[in-house]
Amino acid sequence: MRSNRPLSRSLIKLAIRLVAGGSRAHAQDWFPGLRLVAATPHERGSIYYRGKLVGHLTGAAQAIQTTSASIYIVGSGPSIGSCDVTRAEKNSCILLNGALHLVPDLIEKPLAVAIEDERFVWSHFGLFEKIPADCPCLFSVSVIRAICEHDQHWLQGRPITLIDDIRKPYGGARRSGADLSALPQVRLSADGTVGLSTNPDAGVFQGGSVVISATQFALFLRPKSIGFLGIDISNANEARFYEKDDKAYSGIRKGQERILSHLAMAREFALEQGIEVVNYSPVSALKAYGFDYSDAFLRQQPN
């Protein structure tokens, strides 16, 4: 099982932690060479790499546009092979990581693509060719930096929206529980381990899987319903639907409780806002957390 992180990145991570300390160890996400200027509701932000302007940042409301009443968050869990994703409304799917393999044969144009683990860039950068030029891309700081290390021209002209970790924000120190509680867009559990941001442009809570971040963006868009496809979690140690023998490392199974706790809080908030939340994955740990299952996307088996 490969880790897909270059040794140089592991060394940089260690060195920055030793030099900057734990509160600023996340500076490794943008070091070396990346500088970001945040987008505002009225102006695009900027992405600089090694002093050169290589792209722009766009706020979520400006970047992600859909007329669909439903938003589907599509992962690459093994169960996605049992789902007929062609039934999803046009321009309604936020694709996570390896779900890019569904483009364009099964999903012609995603609503957005969300990637926050730079290891996916290192192992699957060729797959980025599947992302349509006008498709909104929700990328973390480290993913943007890793893309620049591969090809700094790739970002040019594309709508890039930042997935910023609200606990460890770009350019700032790690926030304490008290700091987070004081933020107006934050909902936090009593012990401070689980959170939700109602304004992803000001940062999102990360919890071990990009599905958590994507869900906060989906909630921000206020659809009538949010659906999960291929978000299995319980069988994450198995190969993803597109993998054969060379399986990439995944920490999802190990962090299952943390991931599900964040999603459960998101579901609770969604229901308060009148947003229906549905699990369409026939094999998923979401079932045990009160996520209603629907077989509306279940692929019919040949007789």
Side-chain angles (χ1 to χ4, degrees):
M1 185 179 292
R2 63 187 190 279
S3 68
N4 296 323
R5 188 191 303 277
L7 177 61
S8 60
R9 292 308 314 172
S10 298
L11 294 175
I12 287 172
K13 182 178 181 179
L14 176 61
I16 289 181
R17 175 170 287 276
L18 291 173
V19 172
S23 68
R24 292 187 177 272
H26 58 287
Q28 71 98 17
D29 289 345
W30 58 87
F31 183 87
L34 183 67
R35 182 169 71 88
L36 304 176
V37 178
T40 72
H42 308 292
E43 292 185 0
R44 292 185 303 172
S46 302
I47 303 171
Y48 294 91
Y49 184 66
R50 300 192 182 277
K52 180 181 178 181
L53 179 67
V54 297
H56 290 92
L57 294 173
T58 306
Q62 290 74 37
I64 310 174
Q65 303 288 330
T66 183
T67 58
S68 174
S70 299
I71 291 178
Y72 303 99
I73 299 176
V74 183
S76 54
S79 76
I80 197 67
S82 302
C83 298
D84 183 0
V85 295
T86 63
R87 298 177 190 174
E89 295 91 328
K90 184 179 180 181
N91 199 35
S92 64
C93 296
I94 299 178
L95 305 186
L96 314 181
N97 299 335
L100 276 171
H101 280 276
L102 302 172
V103 179
D105 294 342
L106 299 178
I107 297 177
E108 182 178 357
K109 183 181 179 182
L111 173 61
V113 170
I115 302 171
E116 69 180 23
D117 189 338
E118 69 170 282
R119 288 175 299 188
F120 187 82
V121 182
W122 292 107
S123 59
H124 294 290
F125 188 64
L127 196 57
F128 281 57
E129 294 180 0
K130 287 180 169 285
I131 303 176
D134 60 347
C135 177
C137 297
L138 314 180
F139 290 159
S140 69
V141 176
S142 63
V143 164
I144 293 173
R145 190 214 69 248
I147 290 172
C148 289
E149 292 188 54
H150 279 79
D151 180 5
Q152 59 185 272
H153 301 292
W154 191 91
L155 297 168
Q156 293 178 358
R158 293 179 179 269
I160 310 297
T161 295
L162 182 64
I163 300 178
D164 197 14
D165 187 341
I166 200 167
R167 290 190 181 98
K168 297 177 286 185
Y170 167 77
R174 186 184 186 110
R175 289 184 169 120
S176 67
D179 294 332
L180 292 169
S181 296
L183 298 175
Q185 74 274 20
V186 163
R187 173 178 290 205
L188 201 62
S189 64
D191 62 3
T193 61
V194 178
L196 172 78
S197 171
T198 59
N199 180 11
D201 285 333
V204 298
F205 282 87
Q206 298 182 357
S209 171
V210 68
V211 65
I212 297 170
S213 300
T215 300
Q216 290 167 86
F217 278 94
L219 287 170
F220 175 71
L221 298 172
R222 297 296 178 93
K224 290 185 178 180
S225 70
I226 296 174
F228 295 96
L229 293 94
I231 309 300
D232 298 358
I233 303 175
S234 57
N235 59 359
N237 285 338
E238 299 177 19
R240 299 165 179 87
F241 78 95
Y242 58 89
E243 292 177 326
K244 302 301 181 184
D245 298 327
D246 195 13
K247 184 186 182 305
Y249 168 81
S250 172
I252 289 179
R253 191 69 178 88
K254 182 179 179 180
Q256 174 174 318
E257 187 65 30
R258 185 183 181 202
I259 295 168
L260 291 170
S261 295
H262 280 83
L263 292 178
M265 178 178 282
R267 175 180 175 272
E268 179 182 343
F269 177 78
L271 296 178
E272 291 173 5
Q273 304 300 310
I275 300 172
E276 182 185 24
V277 180
V278 184
N279 164 43
Y280 295 102
S281 296
V283 179
S284 175
L286 293 174
K287 292 182 180 180
Y289 274 68
F291 287 73
D292 295 333
Y293 171 69
S294 168
D295 63 359
F297 283 85
L298 190 63
R299 187 185 303 277
Q300 294 184 355
Q301 300 297 323
N303 295 327

